[in-house]
Every structure is written in C-alpha cells, then in structure tokens.
Amino acid sequence: MKQRFSALDVRATVTALQQRIVGLRLQGIYDVNAKTFLFKFTKPDHKELVLVESGIRIHTTEYTRDKSITPSNFCMKLRKHLKARRLTAIRQIGMDRVVDFEFAVAAGAHAEGTYHIICEFYASGNIILTDYQYNTLALLRVVHVDADTAFAVGRTYCLSESRGVEPVERAALVEFLSKAGPKDNLKRTLASFGAFGPALSEHVIIRAGLSPTLRIATGLDLDPNSPQISALVEAYQEAYDIVIRLGREVSPGYITYMPKLETDDDSENVFDEFNPWLFEQHKTKPHDEYPSFADAADVFFSNMEAQKLKVKAHQQELAAEKKLGAIKSEHEGRVAALERAHRKTEEQARRIEINLEFVDQAILIIRQAVAAGMDWKELEELVRDQQDQGNPVALRILKLNLAANQITLELDDPEDSDDDSSDDEADVDQNDFSGALAVDVDIFESAFANAQRYYNSRRQAGVKHAKTLAISSQALQSAEQKIKTDLKATKVTVTVSQSRKPFWFEKFSWFISSDGYLVLAGRDMQQNELLVKRHLRGGDAYVHADIHGAASVIVKNKPATESAEAIPPSTLFQAGIMSVCQSRAWDAKIVTSAWWVEASQVSKTAPTGEYLSTGSFMIRGKKHFLPPTQLVYGFGFLFRLADDESVARHVRARQQRQAIMEENLRTATGAGSEPTQATDESVPLEAVGDDSVTVVSGKAPAEGGAMDFSAARKKYNLEEIETAAVDEFGEEDKTPAARSEGKRQISAKERRDMRKQRTTGDAVPVPPVPVGKVGKKEQKRLDEEAKFEKSQQKQQQQQQQQQKRGQKGKLRKMKEKYAEQDDEDRELRMALLGASGKKDIGAILDSSRSAAVVEAPEPDVEADAAAVVPEPLPPSIVDQFKAMDVESPVAEP
C-alpha cells in the first residue's frame, strides 16, 4: 500500500494548487498534530484548506479534523509572519519532493518583507520558514547532515542542488542498465533511473512490452540498437511527455483497490494506491477516478486516517474491557476465597468433633512431653521415630509448631466412601475437602475447645463474606464508572468527516416553509441591503412589518413564476411571523400584522431631496396586509445525509411530501367548492392606497391598507371572528354586495385620525355601524381593547400636563380612594356636588336606565343594505371591533 507522495505526485499537486490558492490570503494556520498542519486560504465567499504533513503529503482537503487547542511554538511563529498575507506563487523545486510557498510583497519577490515556506516530503520531512534571501527563520526540526551542513535557524536554505527532468538518451540508459547486478530485475533497477519514480518506471517497462521481473543480466539485450532498448527509449519519451503534461495541466486522480478474495465478496474495497495518471499496471485493477489528483489524495488519506482512528479507539475500548474484566475476576476470586475459607473452617471443626478421642490423645501426649521439659528437637525426632515404627497416632501428626503451642493433625472423615457420588452442587463443594484434612489444634486446650474455636472463626468468616457480597455490586459499579470516565477522557474520537459546503443562503436567517418555499431574512442592515439587491427577483415576495426592528424578509418563488400571488398564504403568514418576531414586538409582546408586496414594488430610489439609509427601501403601490401575527418562534433541525445511498433514498422525499399536500388541498377545496367560491366573490382581493409611496426601514413605520386572504381564514381560525362580526351586524345577506356593505370598517389611518381628534377634543366623525348582539368572548375582548385605549389616552394626557410639586402624591391617593368608581358613578357624584358643566341627576339616571333596558330591534337587512354606502373591504376583523369601540357599548339583555 502506498503511504507517501512521490515526485510525480508532488508535481501534479503543485499544478492543481497553482490554480486554486494562488492569489488567496493565508487566513489561519492550525496544527493537527506534531507533524501535520492545516493552512486556510480565503477570499470573499470562498476558502481552501491545504493539509501539509511533513515528509508524507500535501493536498487540499474537504474533510474536517480536530485541531490542537493550544498551538505549538512553530505554529505561532508561522502565524506571526504569514497571517493575512497573500500567496503569490507556489512551485516545485526541480523534480524533487520539495514545495516552495512564496508570500511576496508589492515590490517583488526579492524585496524585504517576502517570506517562503519550504515543505520537504522525503525521508522524515521538514517545514522551514525563510525570508526573501532564504535565510531560515524557523523550522519544524533541526537536521545535521554532516559537520558542515545543517538545517537550522540562521542557515541559508540551498536550492542549487535540486535535480530536474530531462528526456532519456539511449546511451545513458544502456550505461545505467549495464551497472546492474546479476540478480537485479528491471523494476528495481529502473525505479532509481532519472526522476521518474517507481510507478512511472513500471509503466515504461509494461509499455515497452517487457516484464517488470525480467533479470537484466540474463533476459535483456544491452545492445544500443536492440529492439528491447529501442522500446524502452520510446516508452521513456512517453513518460517524459506525461511529466511535462502533469506540470502544465490539472490531471484527474485515480485510486486503485486491492483485488478481493473469492471468500470476501461482501467486504469493502481496500485502498491500494493513488496516482495522478492511470498507469498500465493499474488498468486491470478496480479503480475510481476523481476530478483532480488533490481530491483523490484527500479521499485516500482521509479514509486511512479514519480507519486508523477507529482501530485506535477500538483498542482503547478493548483495553478498558480487559481492565474491567480483571477487576471482576479479582473480586470474584476474593469472594470465592472467603467462601472456601468459611467452608474449610466449618469442615475443620466437624473433623475435630468426629475424631474427638484421637485429638484428645494426641494433645495429651504432646502436652506431657512438653511438661516433662523435653527439648523440642528431641520431641520432633521422637515423633519421626514413632512414625517410622508405625504408631497410628504419630502417623497422623503432620507438624509440630510448639512456638505457637499448636500441632497439625491429619484428620479423616469416616463417613466418606469412594463410591459416593452426587450431582448436587452442595456435594460437589463438599468433595473439595474429601479425604484427610490438615487441622491445627492448640495443645493447651481440649478437643471441644479447639472445635469451638473453629466454629467461632467460621462465624467471623461468614460475617466477612456477607459484607463482601453486600458491597460487591457497588464496588463493581464504582470500578466500571471509573474505567468509563478514564476511557472518555483519553478516548480517541473519530473526527475525520467530510465537511459540508454551506449553501449561499445560510449566511442569512432562513427556513423552509410548510409549502416548500425558501424564506430568507437579513440579520442586520447590511444583510437586508444585500438580500434585496442581490437575491430579490421578479415573482418573489417582500415581507415587512410597520414596527421598529422588523426584518426584511423575502420569499423565493418557484422558477418561471412571474407573480408573488402564486405563493400560498400560509407561507406568507410564516414569513410575516419571522419579520415580526425579530422586531421590538417580541420584547413588548405586541400583536401586530405584517404585510407583503411584489418584488417590483421595492426600490432603492428615494424621492427628490431625500436619502435612503442602508437597509431602507421605498415601497410604491399596494401593500397586502396579513392576519395578526403569532409571536411564536422556534428552531428546526436538518439532518445531513452522509453517504450516497442515503441521498438516493431521500432524493424525492420533498416531492412526495409536496404531492401529498397538494392532494390534501384539492380534497379540501373539492369538498366545499360552492362556499369557497362564494367567499372569494364576497371578499375582493384589493388593497388600500393604490398610489401610496412608503419608506421601509427599522425606524419609519408605513401607512397603508389591508388585503384579505379568504384561503387563510380556515387555516388560522378566523371563521369564529367572522361569525361574531355577522352576529354583531345582524343576519347576513347572501349577496356579495350586501356582505361588503354590512361589513363596513374603518381603516388604520382613519382610526389614528380619530384618536388624534379625540385627544384634542374635536368631534370625531364615525361611520354608521349597525348595532346587534355580541358574543361573550367578543364582548370581553372589546372591553379589554377599550381599557387599553383609555389607559393610552390617560398616559398621553399625563405626559402633556406638567405636574406640580406634591401633585403626584395627591393623584395617587385619589386613585386609591376612587378606584372602585366607574364613569357613571363619578358623573352622578359630581352632579350631587353641583359641579359646573355637569348634567342634572335626573338626566343621568334616565340615560343610564334607558341604556340598560333597551333591546336591539330585529335589523332590516334590505334597509341596511340601502343605507350603507359600499366601500372596499379590508380584511382585518380587529379594526372592525375597534370601530365598534367608538360607539357607545350596548349591554346584553
């Protein structure tokens, strides 16, 4: 398997890099490990990552790797001299595996301020930073060639010793082959001839019709005019043309795989070599072609890195499992030893009880000898003599430990028999102590006392065994947790993964609507400007809101669509939510409406004498208002498909989802085609302000009318509000004209004018609105809106009136004292006090009584239709309810 770059690989890589990174600025330098560095070259909206591994490889990469958190000293040195500098040239030194990155100044490559990075890819390799005179400023490693030659800081890097590539001459080829040994073959010998390298030399041999394993001494005619030499010369001429072509043009890359065995049909392909040319020896092998050699090298080495990291991580997991298994085995062995000691102690006590007479007799003999003052050595000799004589008591004395006042006896169990066998677990455990058992007895205690001592010891061993079993699970869990923690701290994570190229719209705020439309919003004023100028096309929709901080949102329409009216209302509504949620309404919790216009209505041309700041635009013509916006915002997750098989499975997922949505829409519209048609006729799609011109920015709200969406009423639950409005105006006429006349509203501009006039005290002209019954929910909502308007009026009046000193405290006390009074009680009390300009008490009581007992008569639909002048119908039901607030409220009977 090929492991590093050859001179031909370096040549092909340099040619590709000359077209991809020359002219870019070096934005960052990162060290992946001690020998591998990542260079980040950038220009606006484009970046290239070049991976350099000293002595091994150099290529661009599309794979992400973990970088060192703390840069090395060499990396910091490179950043100090080269960061933000423009790469002016990159070249190969001769035909050597050496690459020179040049960062020149405007004065030229030979002027002061120019820097070079020399990357060596032979032997152990090196990376050297030099100045414009090739004096070494920093290097990855110091190399001493001999006493006089060294690569170190302060030394000059020599470029004169590089070798080039030249056409092969017949005489030089014959002379080189004649120096081969008797066992040398063509492949091994020609691999070092010239600067062609082993792979290209083997290609030359096969193109010449010769075998790479042919021995030169016996199988090759070295006559200069022989057909074999002539064929080799012609093949070398083709190889020279390949080298020249790789230095001029970007060549495709090839990765060859090892041939599979017959038993490994289902196994994955194993990489073998990577090359910038499909050589003759590789044409018969399975291979893949890539657009450039840099891409092929990137895939080859990145997969090899991932495999190495996986193997290393697997080895760490195996080591952790082995360590945990050793801990479990040790713990199980400790528990088993305690259990065996417990059983052995019990068995020893039982053996003493069974051989009670013999134990007493042996204790008595030894005790009498000790009491008689016999020497311990003489006593041991006496026991051995008695054993030789066949004394049964002496034969069962195994050892004398008189220093501890103990003797070791060999005690049998008379109940044991050779033919007893049982499959029971208890019998198997008991057979561990079958036969004679050595028992230590104290000579100054009786047999019963020794047995009792063993029973006491058994109880202690049992308690210790029980405690060990009780804490065994906890101990194992703690050990397992510690091992997992250590493994997590030192685990090698497989971080070599292919990086995804971001889409053009990812620099903006974006989402995909439920109908499959791309919706974009700017993050700041500059992005708003860029979004509208560069990406707003004919047929797209521009969405905005009349509130400070609202984002400029565009909805990208389907291709070949000339009008934004084809965009579904649900998509426009979602875009409006995006615009409003990024405004001040989010913090203030204000429910407002967004609007949309065609792309042709958005302009950057300001009226004469005016100036449009960055992110501000002119809106000319109609503005179509959307339903009240929901202040609901969230995040979505998109899952990236890692392999081609997953992409193939999900390539039509969105199309299938879109087809299901269209089918559901057709089913819904087909079920109620007649009501839908009537609704479309009754609600004309028109907007207020045909000739209006509005400045759209974050600070200047615009004025305009509204546009109704009949298709959005069911989706956003507006039918209930419509029904409440119909109940307010009486029985609705089925004709479109009567509907439009009965639902007369006041626009937002008229409502603001009325509010201003109400503040100044002028009369407010109110269009006639039919009176009827209002539902409880709607009445509650109207009351809340009335309270809100009253509070706003009070705040404005308080701001206009300058409070004197001490008046604030008096107002607070008055507010607390009269908090439960309403307007009617206040007027009545003021009349009782005889305040000037107030009505008398009887008039006030009569007006309140009449307002309480009056009942709304049955409305005459025809009379109402004739009395009310038809006007355009804006869609906002909230404006209609606010118009009702101007009239005096009608109490429910």
Side-chain angles (χ1 to χ4, degrees):
M1 181 182 295
K2 192 174 180 181
Q3 298 290 340
R4 61 172 62 210
F5 269 36
S6 63
L8 201 63
D9 299 337
V10 172
R11 190 176 186 86
T13 302
V14 168
T15 304
L17 292 179
Q18 287 174 350
Q19 298 187 8
R20 298 179 69 170
I21 66 173
V22 172
L24 275 64
R25 291 190 180 275
L26 182 58
Q27 191 65 28
I29 305 173
Y30 313 95
D31 44 354
V32 180
N33 53 48
K35 295 181 62 177
T36 307
F37 295 86
L38 188 67
F39 295 84
K40 182 180 179 180
F41 295 90
T42 62
K43 68 178 182 179
D45 298 332
H46 182 71
K47 70 175 182 179
E48 292 287 348
L49 299 177
V50 178
L51 191 69
V52 178
E53 185 175 0
S54 176
I56 302 296
R57 52 175 169 150
I58 174 175
H59 56 81
T60 57
T61 181
E62 295 182 356
Y63 288 79
T64 58
R65 296 167 174 83
D66 281 345
K67 309 170 188 67
S68 299
I69 299 176
T70 304
S72 61
N73 294 332
F74 179 68
C75 182
M76 294 177 66
K77 190 77 172 179
L78 293 178
R79 291 181 183 180
K80 175 183 176 181
H81 292 281
L82 301 177
K83 190 171 184 180
R85 286 186 173 270
R86 190 184 302 275
L87 180 68
T88 56
I90 177 174
R91 62 180 179 272
Q92 183 183 16
I93 306 301
M95 198 59 186
D96 292 338
R97 287 175 286 178
V98 182
V99 178
D100 181 10
F101 291 87
E102 179 184 275
F103 299 88
V105 295
H110 300 286
E112 186 176 358
T114 299
Y115 294 96
H116 298 267
I117 296 181
I118 310 297
C119 301
E120 298 177 348
F121 301 100
Y122 58 88
S124 297
N126 207 346
I127 300 177
I128 305 170
L129 174 65
T130 68
D131 60 5
Y132 69 103
Q133 295 178 343
Y134 287 95
N135 295 321
T136 303
L137 302 178
L139 71 168
L140 186 61
R141 65 188 189 95
V142 178
V143 180
H144 295 278
V145 180
D146 50 36
D148 299 330
T149 306
F151 294 93
V153 175
R155 301 291 185 92
T156 301
Y157 190 86
C158 184
L159 301 176
S160 59
E161 298 180 359
S162 61
R163 59 175 181 171
V165 57
E166 297 178 355
V168 175
E169 297 181 358
R170 187 184 298 266
L173 177 61
V174 172
E175 182 181 358
F176 183 81
L177 292 174
S178 61
K179 296 179 181 179
K183 295 184 178 180
D184 293 339
N185 55 25
L186 275 176
K187 180 179 179 180
R188 183 182 302 174
T189 303
L190 293 180
S192 58
F193 178 66
F196 296 97
L200 188 56
S201 299
E202 187 176 358
H203 170 80
V204 168
I205 295 172
I206 296 176
R207 290 289 295 173
L210 302 176
S211 174
T213 59
L214 178 66
R215 289 191 176 183
I216 298 175
T218 58
L220 185 64
D221 187 4
L222 296 180
D223 186 3
N225 297 323
S226 65
Q228 294 176 335
I229 299 297
S230 300
L232 285 174
V233 171
E234 292 178 2
Y236 266 113
Q237 184 61 38
E238 294 181 4
Y240 177 77
D241 295 338
I242 292 175
V243 173
I244 298 301
R245 182 176 177 181
L246 290 178
R248 295 176 178 175
E249 302 176 0
V250 177
S251 63
Y254 300 90
I255 293 180
T256 57
Y257 301 96
M258 291 183 178
K260 291 184 179 180
L261 300 177
E262 296 180 357
T263 58
D264 297 339
D265 294 337
D266 298 334
S267 61
E268 297 181 356
N269 293 326
V270 179
F271 289 158
D272 185 17
E273 290 188 17
F274 57 95
N275 292 285
W277 195 271
L278 187 59
F279 298 122
E280 289 292 333
Q281 63 269 24
H282 298 147
K283 290 183 178 180
T284 57
K285 296 181 179 180
H287 61 273
D288 288 336
E289 182 177 351
Y290 294 86
S292 68
F293 173 69
D295 297 334
D298 185 26
V299 173
F300 184 90
F301 282 101
S302 298
N303 282 273
M304 295 300 295
E305 285 182 55
Q307 292 177 5
K308 290 179 181 178
L309 290 175
K310 288 180 181 179
V311 171
K312 192 172 182 180
H314 183 62
Q315 290 177 351
Q316 287 184 348
E317 292 177 358
L318 291 179
E321 292 179 358
K322 185 178 180 181
K323 186 176 180 181
L324 182 61
I327 293 175
K328 288 182 179 180
S329 300
E330 182 183 359
H331 183 75
E332 291 174 356
R334 188 181 300 112
V335 172
L338 290 174
E339 186 177 357
R340 179 178 176 84
H342 177 266
R343 295 201 314 269
K344 183 178 180 181
T345 305
E346 183 179 4
E347 181 66 19
Q348 286 175 337
R350 194 177 69 87
R351 293 289 179 93
I352 291 175
E353 290 179 346
I354 294 175
N355 301 276
L356 191 61
E357 296 181 358
F358 169 75
V359 173
D360 283 335
Q361 186 178 2
I363 290 174
L364 182 59
I365 294 173
I366 299 300
R367 186 191 302 169
Q368 290 177 355
V370 172
M374 182 178 292
D375 187 72
W376 291 356
K377 293 183 179 181
E378 294 179 358
L379 182 57
E380 290 179 358
E381 293 177 358
L382 177 62
V383 171
R384 284 196 292 270
D385 293 340
Q386 293 297 321
Q387 289 176 351
D388 294 338
Q389 295 177 7
N391 190 331
V393 177
L395 288 174
R396 300 177 69 177
I397 297 176
L398 299 179
K399 182 181 178 182
L400 296 177
N401 188 11
L402 299 178
N405 297 328
Q406 290 182 352
I407 60 174
T408 303
L409 301 178
E410 185 179 28
L411 303 179
D412 296 329
D413 187 1
E415 298 178 358
D416 287 343
S417 57
D418 295 336
D419 55 347
D420 282 347
S421 62
S422 175
D423 295 333
D424 242 3
E425 185 179 356
D427 292 342
V428 172
D429 295 340
Q430 187 69 22
N431 288 336
D432 293 342
F433 307 107
S434 60
L437 182 65
V439 180
D440 294 333
V441 295
D442 193 336
I443 60 176
F444 293 104
E445 292 181 356
S446 63
F448 280 112
N450 280 281
Q452 186 63 34
R453 179 169 58 85
Y454 274 104
Y455 278 124
N456 293 336
S457 178
R458 178 186 65 84
R459 283 194 293 270
Q460 294 177 0
V463 171
K464 189 174 181 180
H465 178 258
K467 289 182 179 180
T468 304
L469 290 178
I471 64 173
S472 61
S473 59
Q474 183 178 359
L476 287 176
Q477 289 178 0
S478 300
E480 185 175 1
Q481 186 67 27
K482 186 178 182 301
I483 291 174
K484 288 183 178 180
T485 303
D486 296 342
L487 178 63
K488 187 177 181 180
T490 60
K491 185 178 180 180
V492 177
T493 56
V494 182
T495 56
V496 180
S497 59
Q498 190 170 9
S499 60
R500 182 183 63 85
K501 186 177 181 181
F503 292 100
W504 63 269
F505 53 82
E506 291 190 53
K507 57 186 172 183
F508 306 104
S509 297
W510 65 276
F511 72 93
I512 299 175
S513 70
S514 57
D515 301 305
Y517 287 79
L518 178 63
V519 183
L520 307 172
R523 301 178 186 270
D524 49 27
M525 294 186 299
Q526 286 76 16
Q527 282 202 351
N528 288 340
E529 190 86 9
L530 177 65
L531 189 64
V532 174
K533 280 188 174 181
R534 185 176 296 181
H535 302 292
L536 185 62
R537 299 288 183 266
D540 298 341
Y542 177 84
V543 184
H544 197 64
D546 296 336
I547 189 168
H548 179 75
S552 293
V553 181
I554 67 172
V555 181
K556 298 297 293 182
N557 206 343
K558 302 294 184 182
T561 305
E562 298 180 355
S563 176
E565 294 181 356
I567 299 176
S570 58
T571 296
L572 294 173
F573 183 70
Q574 294 166 14
I577 293 176
M578 187 180 196
S579 179
V580 174
C581 286
Q582 295 188 21
S583 68
R584 187 173 292 178
W586 180 268
D587 296 328
K589 296 181 174 60
I590 299 174
V591 178
T592 183
S593 298
W595 48 264
W596 67 273
V597 294
E598 297 276 356
S600 58
Q601 298 178 240
V602 184
S603 174
K604 192 63 180 175
T605 304
T608 304
E610 296 184 11
Y611 169 74
L612 290 178
S613 61
T614 303
S616 300
F617 307 95
M618 294 296 300
I619 305 298
R620 293 180 169 85
K622 304 176 183 179
K623 289 197 299 184
H624 310 296
F625 277 78
L626 299 168
T629 302
Q630 303 173 2
L631 294 178
V632 179
Y633 217 30
F635 288 96
F637 292 91
L638 292 178
F639 295 92
R640 183 172 66 91
L641 303 178
D643 52 358
D644 296 338
E645 296 181 359
S646 301
V647 174
R649 288 196 301 268
H650 295 276
V651 67
R652 298 188 180 275
R654 183 174 295 278
Q655 298 179 3
Q656 295 174 359
R657 186 163 60 252
Q658 184 70 19
I660 293 173
M661 294 174 61
E662 293 177 356
E663 181 65 24
N664 294 338
L665 181 61
R666 286 196 299 268
T667 304
T669 54
S673 58
E674 295 181 359
T676 304
Q677 184 178 2
T679 305
D680 294 341
E681 292 177 357
S682 62
V683 184
L685 295 177
E686 56 179 312
V688 183
D690 295 347
D691 300 328
S692 61
V693 179
T694 308
V695 179
V696 177
S697 66
K699 298 181 180 179
E703 297 180 2
M707 174 178 176
D708 197 357
F709 291 91
S710 57
R713 290 180 174 175
K714 288 185 178 181
K715 183 174 183 62
Y716 301 107
N717 198 17
L718 299 179
E719 296 294 341
E720 183 178 352
I721 303 177
E722 294 281 353
T723 306
V726 172
D727 293 341
E728 171 68 25
F729 300 126
E731 190 67 28
E732 183 184 11
D733 196 351
K734 301 302 181 181
T735 63
R739 284 192 178 189
S740 61
E741 293 170 358
K743 294 183 179 179
R744 171 68 178 96
Q745 302 181 32
I746 57 175
S747 65
K749 186 175 184 303
E750 294 173 348
R751 185 170 62 255
R752 282 192 291 271
D753 294 340
M754 288 189 298
R755 191 175 299 163
K756 293 178 182 178
Q757 294 175 1
R758 188 186 310 161
T759 304
T760 58
D762 299 336
V764 182
V766 182
V769 180
V771 182
K773 299 172 64 176
V774 181
K776 293 183 179 180
K777 294 183 179 179
E778 301 305 324
Q779 184 64 37
K780 184 178 180 181
R781 183 176 177 182
L782 292 175
D783 294 341
E784 293 178 354
E785 292 179 356
K787 290 180 181 179
F788 178 75
E789 289 189 359
K790 289 180 181 179
S791 63
Q792 294 292 332
Q793 294 175 9
K794 290 181 180 179
Q795 290 179 2
Q796 292 177 1
Q797 293 175 1
Q798 290 176 2
Q799 291 176 359
Q800 292 176 0
Q801 298 176 359
Q802 295 182 357
Q803 296 179 357
K804 299 180 181 179
R805 183 176 180 181
Q807 192 175 2
K808 185 175 181 181
K810 292 181 180 180
L811 291 176
R812 185 176 71 252
K813 293 179 181 179
M814 291 173 62
K815 184 177 181 182
E816 294 175 357
K817 183 176 180 180
Y818 303 108
E820 298 180 355
Q821 286 187 4
D822 55 6
D823 295 340
E824 198 171 305
D825 293 339
R826 186 163 50 254
E827 290 182 3
L828 184 59
R829 294 196 180 193
M830 295 297 290
L832 288 173
L833 291 174
S836 60
K838 298 298 178 181
K839 301 178 182 178
D840 58 343
I841 301 174
I844 295 174
L845 293 176
D846 292 340
S847 62
S848 62
R849 190 181 300 111
S850 61
V853 301
V854 67
E855 291 186 2
E858 188 73 20
D860 190 357
V861 179
E862 296 180 358
D864 291 342
V868 180
V869 179
E871 291 187 12
L873 178 62
S876 178
I877 307 302
V878 177
D879 293 343
Q880 185 176 351
F881 290 156
K882 289 185 177 180
M884 293 166 53
D885 187 39
V886 178
E887 300 290 330
S888 59
V890 179
E892 293 184 3

